[in-house]
Amino acid sequence: MDEKQRDDDERTRLIERARAVVPMLKQAAARIEQARELPDDVVADLHSASLFRLLLPKSVGGCEVDLRTHAELLEIVATGDASATWCLSQGAGCAMAAAFLEPNVAKRLFGPPDAVLAWGAGPQGKATAVDGGYRVTGTWQFNSGCMHATLLGGHSRVFEADGSPRHRRDGRQLERTMILPREKATIDDVWHVLGLKGTGSNTFSVEDLFVPEEETLDRENPNELCERGPLYLFSTSLAYGVGFAAMQLGIARGMLDDLRHLAMTKTPRGATASLRDSPVFQTELARLEARYRAARAYLHMTAEDVYRQVAAKNEITLEDRTTMKLASVHTIHEAVEVTAAAYRNAGSTAIFPDGPFEQRLRDAYTASQQTQARVQNFLTIGRCMLGLEPDTMTFL
């Protein structure tokens, strides 16, 4: 059996596992929201399906799937529960950090079957260089999945022992990600939000904690990359973009399926015909389905094409990055609009929390507030398309 056949077989197995957890997630959705984190039994089932290891290197027991497969899997899971999918997407991007660690360190940290790394947004810590590593102090927000994680990551600005900033060659201050055991941190329960309630995206802090050099990494430094697979030429930001776009597609898919089911039995108040027999509704449903399918096809086509080109060249260009980012940002926006329109078409049935619509709308809108969905991303992409300097490289 050749490598391609093995990859195809693994993809088929993962898709089957993803589909198998959907009924469980639908049944657990209310518990997930109430707990404001993923319950232990849900986490165990997701581990059993290998869904926390999608972008982890094969060398440490991961799946190392391509980005189109990643999108397909997360969309399936998102039809069951968005909070669980968000945690899987976030954890997958974080797991790519293993590719920047020495192999023995990566195996020690990520080898355990329950290993999950969670981190938040941006450099919110201070790492002072000392013999053998760093003394780290900081508070990090938005650490999705930190309640079930075994490891936490703190992006930190690096300082010399004398307190002066350590700089990169281009003059910017150096940032490194500190990986530490979750039990070394203090977690502050702050996640009281509108949607994605079950992600447990809390804040954690450490003070003057020693972190060995070998358990830190610079995600911007290709010289630290120890894995040679094409996946790890992509930034974690691009992986997040694909994952969160796929999650929004899954939410939209679930909304459209439930809307069609509702139309079979509902007759709106004051109407003489059911939704199913309404020409207006029939037209709207078809148009929403087309928008969903178009966005999905665009994301999948782009993820597949760019991944293949990057693998062939063994490098990723600015054009590759902007192409990927455009597909993910556009898909997020399209899917959210489809979700919102499906909610409106369900009428007053959609407003009740014990139905299938209300939570999905809250989850979709909450996820759309994340940086991957910023309208500013279109500005960055547009500047690159015109040969201008991007306003920021953070999300490319």
Side-chain angles (χ1 to χ4, degrees), residues 292-359:
Y292 156 79
R293 293 189 190 186
R296 184 177 190 268
Y298 177 33
L299 180 69
H300 287 191
M301 177 194 71
T302 303
E304 183 173 347
D305 287 352
V306 173
Y307 195 90
R308 182 176 62 250
Q309 293 168 22
V310 168
K313 297 180 297 187
N314 197 34
E315 67 172 345
I316 185 167
T317 65
L318 180 59
E319 182 180 0
D320 295 329
R321 288 182 282 172
T322 54
T323 298
M324 284 290 296
K325 182 59 67 176
L326 181 59
S328 62
V329 177
H330 174 77
T331 299
I332 289 171
H333 283 257
E334 278 290 283
V336 171
E337 290 186 16
V338 170
T339 294
Y343 177 89
R344 289 193 298 271
N345 275 274
S348 60
T349 303
I351 69 176
F352 296 99
D354 58 347
F357 301 99
E358 188 263 356
Q359 180 180 332

Side-chain angles (χ1 to χ4, degrees), residues 285-297:
L285 181 65
R287 293 180 69 179
L288 291 177
E289 183 70 26
R291 289 182 68 180
Y292 156 79
R293 293 189 190 186
R296 184 177 190 268

Side-chain angles (χ1 to χ4, degrees), residues 35-240:
R36 293 183 298 109
E37 61 180 277
L38 302 187
D40 291 345
D41 60 316
V42 172
V43 173
D45 284 348
L46 295 175
H47 275 303
S48 294
S50 301
L51 294 174
F52 278 110
R53 308 178 80 80
L54 297 182
L55 302 186
L56 187 68
K58 291 180 180 178
S59 62
V60 292
C63 302
E64 199 174 326
V65 301
D66 63 90
L67 290 179
R68 174 176 175 166
T69 300
H70 186 54
E72 290 182 275
L73 293 166
L74 292 183
E75 181 184 353
I76 292 168
V77 178
T79 63
D81 183 74
S83 286
T85 311
W86 183 274
C87 288
L88 292 176
S89 179
Q90 183 75 12
C94 294
M96 293 172 72
F100 289 82
L101 300 172
E102 291 297 326
N104 62 317
V105 178
K107 289 178 182 178
R108 173 164 52 82
L109 295 177
F110 290 93
D114 64 343
V116 174
L117 172 62
W119 64 42
Q124 302 168 40
K126 177 179 180 180
T128 301
V130 296
D131 289 344
Y134 304 88
R135 307 296 305 192
V136 184
T137 296
T139 298
W140 293 266
Q141 299 175 307
F142 300 109
N143 301 279
S144 299
C146 68
M147 304 307 291
H148 59 259
T150 57
L151 302 166
L152 298 176
H155 309 312
S156 304
R157 293 184 174 89
V158 178
F159 294 82
E160 304 293 356
D162 64 4
S164 61
R166 181 179 292 180
H167 293 99
R168 300 182 185 275
R169 289 184 178 180
D170 62 7
R172 293 179 297 144
Q173 185 169 2
L174 179 67
E175 298 168 8
R176 292 190 72 80
T177 299
M178 310 283 139
I179 299 181
L180 51 116
R182 189 186 69 172
E183 60 269 20
K184 297 290 186 180
T186 299
I187 296 179
D188 189 10
D189 183 358
V190 299
W191 196 242
H192 302 271
V193 288
L194 176 70
L196 296 180
K197 291 185 176 182
T199 62
S201 302
N202 289 308
T203 297
F204 79 86
S205 302
V206 299
E207 185 172 354
D208 196 34
L209 177 70
F210 175 73
V211 180
E213 177 74 39
E214 65 181 9
E215 295 176 10
T216 75
L217 62 134
D218 178 2
R219 294 177 295 161
E220 292 188 34
N221 186 354
N223 293 326
E224 294 189 17
L225 187 59
C226 296
E227 294 286 338
R228 296 296 170 236
L231 174 63
Y232 305 108
L233 297 174
F234 291 83
S235 68
T236 54
S237 179
L238 291 176
Y240 290 141

